[in-house]
Amino acid sequence: MRLSARLTLAMTVLVAFTVAAIGLLAYYNIGRAVVPSGLTRLAYQAKARLGAYESALRVFRSEMLSARLLPAHSGVVRASRNGGVDPEFGLTEAQWLQHLATVYAGNMQFKPGILGYRLATVADGGRSLIEVDRNGPGGAIRVVPAAELSRQGDDETFRRASEQTGDSVYFSPLRIAADGEGGTPLPRIMLAAPIRDPAGAVFAVLEIELDLRPVFQRIRDVLDNDTSVYFVTADGGYLMNYLGGRIVPAEPMRRWQDDFPELAASLADKPGTATVFRDPDGTRTAGALVVGTLTNGERTGVIETEPLERMMAPATALQTPGLIVGLAALLGAVLLSALLSRSLAKPIAQLTHAVTAFSRSGRLVMPVGLQGESRILADAFDQTVGKIDAANAALRSKTELLDKTIASMADAVAVLDAAGKRVFANPTCLALFGPAEDIGSERWRNKYRRFLADGVTPMPDHESPAARARRGESFDNIELGIRHGDGPVVQLAASARRIENSDGSFGGAVVVYRNLTAFKESERQLRQAQKMQAIGQLTGGVAHDLNNILTVITGGIEILADGVSDRPDLKDVAAMVDQAVTRASDLTHGLLSFSRKQPLQPRSIDVNALMLDTVKLLRPTLGSGIDIDVEPAPDLCPALADPSQLGSALINLAINARDAMNGSGKLLLETGNVDLDQAYAEQHDEVSAGRYVMLVVSDNGYGIPASIRDRVFEPFFTTKAVGEGTGLGLSMVYGFIKQSGGHIELYSEEGHGTTIRLYLPCATISDTENDTAAPPLAQGGRESVLVVEDDALVRSYVMTHLKALGYTAHSACSAAEAMSMVYDGVEFDLLFTDVMLSGGMDGPQLADELRKYTPDLKVLFTSGYTETAMLRQGRIGPDMQLLPKPYRRADLARMLRRVLDDADPAPAK
């Protein structure tokens, strides 16, 4: 057969084969593209429907909890428990119920989804106290007459709701009933929760019936409604069918596993995905199954199906046009090949020989004597070969440079092809994720674990940067964590860009991972430091303002105590108020200690009394799950320690014990007198032999592992998750005990609990006498005092006491007013000023300015901050006299006499 004939035949066969192959591949590839995307769409819609239903249940639960907190409920309880009349507001139970009916009706007016309220008492067989529904004329809201009120004692919803605890809410099963207007299906759900009296006993049950049609209306408005949707339970029953965007009641005796056996077999162990299966009549169908545990506590699923034929419609539509185009191409190929074969046969044979020789030797020798197009083709081929050689050389140079650049990058770079396979990775990427052939294997999954940005929650495979890049997504700085074996989590930020082919189709992606571990740690430390600084500033400011208020209260109590000294009953009340003010002053000193590290103030204390007072605070703090036992020792020696710091240490230990017991367990607090002998002291550093007061804190939690017991008192060491603890609690307790001259001992067994013993030195008789010594009597004078205080209450308090002590007093609310009084010729012997003054000039600056005119001026400062804090801030000098707030009249008189009687006044700052 001649070359021209063979060429004609070959071209014809080639075109026919090519057209057929392209048609088949197009149909197959379109099907491969359409079906996965369709399945993904089905799975997404099923998840969206279940998520919308779950969101509605959460909103319903919040509605119930909000309704339960209505003040009128408490009024009904109080009235019922007090003979029918509320002692707090004077309203009867009927008046409270009428108010509740108005509130219920008003809420239903603005929330059409609420079908009714019912409040039924647990007494008298579950008698309904009040009911509001929409059964009035034309669906109007009405309050059900008393004659129509029902009893709920045998109702399952009523019974289950009365058994709920805490903030638990009972959800009834979803019911579908006719709405009375043509029999349209009406999905309903009932929520119920107990109303408790102040003692915690269940007084009544509040029930709210809700209409679910708005929920499914929103789902229908947002999602595709051309599919069949079935809401099912995990055990196989149907809750509701949703066909063509309409609610259809389900048949209660049918099971979806029986209706869709292939779907159940394919997706039962992997809900949240979609597949293709055959339904019982043999039709190929696409289906998705999503299952989850909802707010009502039930595992509920959504099945969404669509005929596969409809999903494949785009591929089917291309068959006929493809056939027509293929036939036309085949006919054109036959005609064209016949025309060209004769003219091209000989030159092509010569060129073929030249090219064959080039492929063997690498040298191109073109035949001579070629004419026309053959000559042009030969010259073009010769030039092309030269350009290819030059381009290859340049490409090799650029490739080497690019490879070196990417290999030297600190970021990990990975290139994926259109199928999602990794085709390139720089050394940093290999170090992070390992070789490409291992990715996705079971060995790789066990070796490398991915987490979300929090470093704890596992990252789903479909949310990983590589998976998103394979889907053609472009994104920036998606944070994740990866752990190699048992090593630490490496924090990464991933960015990706898609690679497009010349026709715009997806050709792959490049993914860049940046290591953020060091940056995240620095950011965390900065946030922690800023938080602690802000808390310190806040507590210091609050304590300063509280000290101003306590100063006035302290002085007022002293005046009241003097005024009622002849009335024992009122005198005792004044003494109690005075003790309360003293405790409040201790609290402000504790706040200042936190913000400025105030030095310890040890004194003789009764540890039993302090422990019992602290327990009163601990019971509501630790929660009802912690059972606190207290065993105070009789005849306990007084301890020498700072009571505020000891109370804080006890609270710290109790909170750590609660965390170790996961909020449920037994906490034991004990005290006792203990003698530590010389042998014990020799075995423990910094322990002196002698008698100590022992305070023991024990729990029955999970205990402390032996591997970390030696580190629990180290600063910043914690076993809690990030953000749940600073690691300073036990170290602060350890430092306080050591600074107090005591000793701390820890004993723990895994699975049994932990015991921490605090040993505090006993107070001597002199310590006790010093603490109980009566304050000196207030001694006044006849000198003149200028008072500068910007707080009107404190200024009035000081002026009252100065006049009572015999002094001549002048007052000013600011430094500017004080200077004006000096310019006007007001004479005084002592300046009594607050350190912190408004108006631009503080107390020390005022004193410096006045000493320009009166060098020997005597000055007494006062402040809500402590002297230590003022010294550290540079507000006052070490030789200046400071009276800390709050202070008593005796303290004021004593400090005034000390400054006035001092022959050498303190220097200016």
Side-chain angles (χ1 to χ4, degrees):
M1 184 180 295
R2 297 178 60 184
L3 176 60
S4 59
R6 292 199 304 271
L7 183 60
T8 301
L9 180 59
M11 292 179 65
T12 302
V13 173
L14 178 62
V15 171
F17 179 78
T18 301
V19 170
I22 290 175
L24 291 175
L25 289 175
Y27 179 82
Y28 177 72
N29 288 333
I30 292 175
R32 287 187 62 186
V34 168
V35 172
S37 63
L39 293 178
T40 301
R41 174 178 55 82
L42 276 182
Y44 165 78
Q45 292 197 157
K47 292 178 181 178
R49 297 182 199 277
L50 186 60
Y53 184 51
E54 162 67 1
S55 298
L57 292 181
R58 292 181 180 178
V59 172
F60 295 160
R61 181 178 184 273
S62 299
E63 178 69 29
M64 168 56 76
L65 294 178
S66 298
R68 192 174 66 173
L69 295 177
L70 289 173
H73 288 142
S74 300
V76 172
V77 174
R78 290 192 301 269
S80 177
R81 292 290 192 255
N82 291 275
V85 178
D86 180 7
E88 183 173 343
F89 292 95
L91 299 179
T92 65
E93 182 178 359
Q95 288 174 321
W96 274 122
L97 290 175
Q98 183 179 5
H99 177 66
L100 265 180
T102 303
V103 174
Y104 290 164
N107 203 20
M108 293 172 62
Q109 183 71 30
F110 290 101
K111 297 179 181 179
I114 300 179
L115 298 177
Y117 287 87
R118 178 187 292 122
L119 182 66
T121 178
V122 297
D124 196 13
R127 176 175 57 86
S128 292
L129 298 177
I130 184 173
E131 294 182 14
V132 181
D133 59 24
R134 296 183 183 272
N135 294 332
I141 299 172
R142 65 157 190 163
V143 178
V144 178
E148 297 180 20
L149 293 177
S150 58
R151 296 184 182 274
Q152 305 297 317
D154 297 329
D155 183 66
E156 175 69 11
T157 300
F158 179 88
R159 184 183 61 80
R160 295 286 296 275
S162 62
E163 298 172 354
Q164 301 299 307
T165 61
D167 289 337
S168 299
V169 176
Y170 173 72
F171 291 75
S172 72
L174 187 148
R175 297 181 294 107
I176 298 180
D179 64 356
E181 300 176 0
T184 303
L186 172 60
R188 301 185 178 191
I189 191 169
M190 180 76 76
L191 275 70
I195 303 296
R196 301 182 183 275
D197 60 17
V202 177
F203 169 77
V205 171
L206 175 62
E207 299 179 358
I208 303 178
E209 187 173 17
L210 296 157
D211 183 2
L212 295 180
R213 284 180 299 179
V215 176
F216 296 107
Q217 177 66 34
R218 288 193 295 270
I219 296 176
R220 181 175 63 187
D221 293 342
V222 175
L223 300 177
D224 182 10
N225 293 295
D226 294 332
T227 60
S228 299
V229 181
Y230 308 90
F231 284 77
V232 299
T233 62
D235 58 2
Y238 285 91
L239 292 175
M240 182 188 67
N241 299 337
Y242 197 61
L243 307 177
R246 295 186 304 104
I247 299 173
V248 179
E251 298 180 18
M253 302 306 296
R254 294 178 59 183
R255 300 178 70 257
W256 65 269
Q257 291 92 338
D258 299 332
D259 295 339
F260 305 105
E262 287 193 15
L263 179 65
S266 299
L267 303 182
D269 58 344
K270 45 184 176 182
T273 57
T275 188
V276 177
F277 65 96
R278 292 187 181 276
D279 57 19
D281 62 2
T283 303
R284 297 194 70 192
T285 304
L289 171 63
V290 179
V291 179
T293 301
L294 305 185
T295 300
N296 59 4
E298 297 183 0
R299 283 185 59 79
T300 304
V302 171
I303 299 175
E304 187 155 353
T305 64
E306 181 180 10
L308 184 63
E309 180 181 355
R310 185 169 63 189
M311 190 177 291
M312 289 290 295
T316 305
L318 291 177
Q319 286 182 330
T320 300
L323 181 61
I324 295 174
V325 172
L327 292 176
L330 181 61
L331 180 59
V334 172
L335 296 176
L336 182 61
S337 60
L339 295 174
L340 295 178
S341 59
R342 293 183 179 273
S343 60
L344 294 178
K346 182 178 179 180
I348 288 177
Q350 293 176 332
L351 291 174
T352 301
H353 178 73
V355 171
T356 302
F358 170 72
S359 64
R360 289 195 302 265
S361 63
R363 295 177 63 252
L364 180 62
V365 179
M366 284 292 150
V368 296
L370 295 178
Q371 300 294 328
E373 290 82 358
S374 299
R375 177 72 262 175
I376 297 174
L377 179 61
D379 294 340
F381 192 79
D382 191 15
Q383 294 176 4
T384 300
V385 170
K387 292 179 180 179
I388 290 174
D389 290 339
N392 285 338
L395 182 61
R396 281 193 297 270
S397 176
K398 292 182 179 180
T399 301
E400 290 176 359
L401 178 60
L402 180 61
D403 289 344
K404 293 177 181 178
T405 301
I406 296 179
S408 63
M409 290 176 61
D411 295 340
V413 181
V415 180
L416 311 178
D417 61 14
K421 183 179 179 181
R422 194 174 77 186
V423 295
F424 173 81
N426 68 346
T428 307
C429 183
L430 292 174
L432 275 176
F433 301 104
E437 55 270 15
D438 290 344
I439 294 180
S441 65
E442 189 65 26
R443 180 179 64 179
W444 187 88
R445 294 178 185 274
N446 293 333
K447 189 175 182 181
Y448 295 91
R449 286 175 289 174
R450 290 185 298 243
F451 302 92
L452 297 179
D454 59 8
V456 178
T457 306
M459 173 175 280
D461 290 342
H462 69 279
E463 293 184 9
S464 68
R468 295 181 59 178
R470 284 194 294 270
R471 296 194 295 266
E473 298 182 27
S474 295
F475 51 84
D476 291 309
N477 298 321
I478 298 298
E479 295 188 11
L480 71 153
I482 186 167
R483 173 174 289 163
H484 182 189
D486 296 329
V489 174
V490 178
Q491 297 287 341
L492 303 174
S495 302
R497 292 293 183 272
R498 58 182 284 139
I499 300 174
E500 296 184 352
N501 297 322
S502 57
D503 59 356
S505 61
F506 178 67
V510 57
V511 186
V512 179
Y513 298 87
R514 174 158 294 177
N515 193 329
L516 300 179
T517 305
F519 172 77
K520 287 290 185 181
E521 177 60 22
S522 300
E523 186 181 49
R524 183 194 66 79
Q525 293 178 2
L526 176 60
R527 284 199 303 267
Q528 181 68 11
Q530 291 173 339
K531 180 179 71 174
M532 296 305 292
Q533 180 183 9
I535 293 175
Q537 293 173 348
L538 174 63
T539 55
V542 170
H544 175 268
D545 292 341
L546 284 176
N547 278 334
N548 277 339
I549 298 173
L550 291 175
T551 299
V552 179
I553 297 176
T554 301
I557 292 302
E558 288 184 332
I559 295 174
L560 290 176
D562 293 342
V564 298
S565 59
D566 57 342
R567 301 179 63 180
D569 51 345
L570 295 181
K571 182 179 180 181
D572 291 340
V573 173
M576 286 190 294
V577 176
D578 186 61
Q579 292 174 2
V581 172
T582 301
R583 293 185 61 185
S585 178
D586 291 340
L587 173 61
T588 59
H589 288 162
L591 292 176
L592 290 172
S593 174
F594 174 79
S595 62
R596 291 295 185 268
K597 298 182 180 179
Q598 178 174 294
L600 296 180
Q601 297 180 357
R603 59 184 175 89
S604 176
I605 58 173
D606 184 349
V607 176
N608 280 342
L610 185 143
M611 177 179 67
L612 294 175
D613 287 344
T614 305
V615 167
K616 296 177 183 178
L617 175 64
L618 288 177
R619 294 192 188 278
T621 301
L622 301 184
S624 59
I626 303 299
D627 184 14
I628 305 177
D629 287 341
V630 181
E631 293 185 9
D635 301 324
L636 186 68
C637 294
L640 182 62
D642 187 324
S644 175
Q645 295 297 331
L646 181 57
S648 298
L650 184 56
I651 292 174
N652 256 326
L653 295 177
I655 291 176
N656 279 348
R658 178 200 62 187
D659 295 342
M661 295 183 287
N662 290 325
S664 177
K666 178 175 288 187
L667 177 66
L668 176 61
L669 304 180
E670 307 170 80
T671 59
N673 297 317
V674 176
D675 291 316
L676 301 181
D677 57 17
Q678 188 61 35
Y680 183 90
E682 292 175 353
Q683 295 176 0
H684 298 81
D685 294 337
E686 300 179 2
V687 176
S688 300
R691 168 154 288 198
Y692 290 82
V693 177
M694 179 180 68
L695 175 60
V696 184
V697 180
S698 302
D699 65 71
N700 60 351
Y702 48 73
I704 302 175
S707 59
I708 64 171
R709 286 176 196 162
D710 293 335
R711 300 187 58 197
V712 296
F713 294 116
E714 294 179 5
F716 303 107
F717 177 79
T718 180
T719 59
K720 298 179 182 179
V722 176
E724 295 183 3
T726 62
L728 293 175
L730 287 179
S731 64
M732 291 171 64
V733 174
Y734 179 88
F736 158 66
I737 294 298
K738 290 296 184 181
Q739 189 177 355
S740 301
H743 174 55
I744 187 169
E745 187 178 63
L746 180 144
Y747 177 79
S748 181
E749 288 185 10
E750 289 189 66
H752 296 281
T754 300
T755 296
I756 295 181
R757 295 180 175 87
L758 306 181
Y759 298 89
L760 294 168
C762 292
T764 63
I765 296 178
S766 60
D767 296 325
T768 305
E769 292 175 350
N770 290 337
D771 290 335
T772 58
L777 297 176
Q779 180 180 358
R782 298 300 178 184
E783 291 87 351
S784 177
V785 179
L786 174 60
V787 179
V788 184
E789 171 61 61
D790 55 3
D791 190 305
L793 289 176
V794 178
R795 188 169 64 250
S796 175
Y797 156 76
V798 175
M799 295 294 293
T800 300
H801 281 298
L802 287 176
K803 293 177 181 178
L805 290 171
Y807 293 101
T808 300
H810 309 280
S811 67
C813 64
S814 65
E817 184 178 352
M819 293 295 297
S820 177
M821 295 174 66
V822 172
Y823 295 152
D824 291 340
V826 175
E827 297 182 355
F828 53 90
D829 301 300
L830 179 141
L831 172 66
F832 182 46
T833 177
D834 196 343
V835 175
M836 309 290 288
L837 293 175
S838 59
M841 179 183 291
D842 59 18
Q845 291 172 339
L846 173 62
D848 291 341
E849 188 67 23
L850 293 180
R851 280 199 174 101
K852 294 179 181 179
Y853 306 97
T854 309
D856 58 347
L857 177 65
K858 298 179 183 293
V859 182
L860 174 60
F861 295 102
T862 184
S863 176
Y865 292 105
T866 65
E867 183 174 3
T868 303
M870 292 288 98
L871 288 171
R872 290 184 177 178
Q873 296 176 10
R875 296 284 185 180
I876 63 174
D879 297 328
M880 295 182 181
Q881 298 292 340
L882 177 71
L883 177 60
K885 297 177 183 178
Y887 48 81
R888 303 180 183 275
R889 181 168 59 187
D891 299 328
L892 175 62
R894 174 177 52 82
M895 289 300 295
L896 287 173
R897 292 308 330 157
R898 174 188 295 179
V899 177
L900 288 169
D901 296 340
D902 187 3
D904 185 15
K909 179 181 175 182

